[in-house]
């Protein structure tokens, strides 16, 4: 049995940057908190805790020291509050997410009704929503678009980890209903590359293993994409989750990992599969 790894897999630029900033912040004497788990990966969050980086759900859970804003970003009000509380702010918002913030702001200021393609309860989308002035429409698919749009001038922004297909579906549905449509494709290349190479991999192997947090949206989407092509797709967080009967009769096992999956975690799974090969 052979293991084949997707051409683009695992930790992305924004997550790597956030982990680096958190590691640097942890070397000081101050108490250090991330606002929400730094990334959607329980094992990585636990490793940070061991270095002294705690997780706080809200600013009110932090008395002093440093607060790290995660790669998903937050609303401008949260950063302003943190400064008012006298906290040192380390902003690890991914530059790609910042671009989505800027696009939402620009569209709202120019008077467009803003449609955000994404998951309404995802922190990244909440941040984009705040930058759009708080009254954007959030949809995950074209069927969620309201029957009446608030304007004939609509601007679209996308959660960075959405798929191109979802964006295209919403844009296609909006086009006949508006006079003017501006689309900022804020899907980041890291996501698209991981999704394309996951689909490519899934069609070329017998079994697919996707590594990443069960609470990670981008990992879950890789699972969905792979499963649509190859029903023998499994989602694991670590090598301990592997069930080796999955590989019965398989000659090639494909491995990919979400953008929030540290490399060591993906390598651990690859080594465990290779050990039984
Ligand atoms: S997936 Fe893209 S937008 Fe999200 S953190 Fe990574 S590089 Fe940034």
């Amino acid at each position: 049995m052979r293991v084949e790894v997707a051409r683009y897999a695992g930790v992305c630029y924004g997550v790597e940057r956030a982990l680096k900033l958190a590691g640097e912040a942890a070397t000081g004497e101050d108490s250090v908190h991330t606002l929400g788990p730094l990334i959607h990966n329980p094992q990585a969050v636990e490793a940070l805790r061991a270095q002294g980086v705690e997780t706080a759900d809200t600013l009110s859970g932090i008395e002093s020291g440093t607060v790290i804003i995660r790669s998903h970003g937050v609303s401008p009000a949260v950063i302003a509050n943190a400064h008012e509380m006298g906290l040192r702010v380390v902003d690890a918002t991914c530059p790609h997410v910042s671009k989505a913030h800027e696009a939402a702001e620009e569209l709202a200021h120019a008077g467009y009704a803003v449609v955000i393609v994404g998951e309404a309860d995802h922190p990244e989308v909440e941040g984009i929503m705040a930058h759009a002035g708080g009254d954007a429409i959030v949809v995950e698919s074209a069927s969620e678009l309201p029957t009446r749009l608030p304007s004939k001038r609509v601007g679209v922004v996308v959660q960075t980890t959405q798929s191109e297909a979802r964006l295209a579906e919403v844009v296609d549905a909006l086009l006949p209903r508006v006079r003017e449509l501006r689309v900022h494709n804020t899907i980041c290349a890291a996501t698209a590359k991981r999704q394309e190479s996951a689909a490519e991999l899934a069609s070329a192997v017998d079994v697919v293993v996707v590594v990443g947090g069960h609470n990670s949206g981008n990992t879950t989407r890789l699972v969905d994409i792979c499963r649509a092509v190859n029903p023998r797709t499994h989602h694991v967080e670590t090598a301990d989750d592997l069930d080796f009967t999955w590989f019965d009769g398989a000659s090639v096992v494909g491995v990919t990992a979400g953008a929030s999956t540290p490399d060591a975690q993906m390598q651990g799974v690859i080594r465990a599969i290779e050990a039984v090969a």
Side-chain angles (χ1 to χ4, degrees):
M1 199 169 67
R2 187 163 62 77
V3 175
E4 203 171 303
V5 180
R7 205 148 46 94
Y8 294 97
V11 76
C12 65
Y13 160 75
V15 167
E16 206 161 14
R17 179 173 170 273
L19 288 167
K20 182 169 167 281
L21 288 172
E24 286 167 5
T27 56
E29 282 168 16
D30 273 355
S31 86
V32 181
H33 287 84
T34 61
L35 196 54
L38 188 67
I39 55 175
H40 286 153
N41 187 285
Q43 292 73 23
V45 168
E46 191 44 46
L48 280 169
R49 213 167 67 81
Q51 289 176 57
V53 180
E54 300 286 342
T55 303
D57 290 334
T58 59
L59 282 179
S60 56
I62 307 172
E63 278 180 11
S64 61
T66 298
V67 60
I68 301 169
I69 305 300
R70 54 195 179 170
S71 55
H72 298 314
V74 289
S75 73
V78 171
I79 296 198
N81 282 349
H83 283 301
E84 269 166 30
M85 290 168 68
L87 300 174
R88 185 170 84 93
V89 177
V90 173
D91 190 355
T93 304
C94 176
H96 293 292
V97 175
S98 299
K99 279 197 187 130
H101 290 171
E102 285 159 22
E105 243 169 55
E106 186 198 311
L107 289 168
H109 284 153
Y112 291 89
V114 179
V115 171
I116 303 169
V117 182
E119 299 146 276
D121 57 353
H122 192 286
E124 182 191 322
V125 174
E126 287 166 6
I128 299 173
M129 168 70 102
H131 281 82
D135 56 2
I137 298 163
V138 183
V139 297
E140 264 195 78
S141 65
S143 63
E144 292 177 9
L145 283 167
T147 34
R148 274 179 67 83
L149 292 165
S151 168
K152 286 280 178 196
R153 294 174 71 228
V154 171
V156 176
V157 185
V158 202
Q159 182 182 5
T160 55
T161 51
Q162 285 294 315
S163 70
E164 300 280 351
R166 286 240 176 117
L167 171 62
E169 184 204 305
V170 174
V171 168
D172 283 352
L174 280 170
L175 200 54
R177 298 178 56 190
V178 298
R179 206 173 50 239
E180 188 186 343
L181 184 63
R182 277 191 60 193
V183 181
H184 285 265
N185 182 350
T186 43
I187 293 173
C188 94
T191 304
K193 281 178 182 169
R194 275 155 189 72
Q195 290 176 350
E196 280 160 24
S197 47
E200 223 170 77
L201 177 84
S203 65
V205 300
D206 301 307
V207 180
V208 186
V209 175
V210 183
V211 191
H214 285 297
N215 57 347
S216 155
N218 73 81
T219 305
T220 313
R221 257 186 295 285
L222 288 184
V223 175
D224 292 344
I225 287 168
C226 291
R227 196 163 280 148
V229 178
N230 187 332
R232 291 181 74 183
T233 294
H234 303 277
H235 182 175
V236 301
E237 286 193 345
T238 68
D240 292 342
D241 299 335
L242 289 167
D243 174 347
F244 295 103
T245 61
W246 295 338
F247 311 125
D248 286 349
S251 339
V252 189
V253 176
V255 175
T256 187
S260 51
T261 308
D263 196 47
Q265 220 165 302
M266 180 171 79
Q267 294 305 331
V269 170
I270 293 171
R271 277 197 304 276
I273 300 172
E274 281 175 344
V276 296

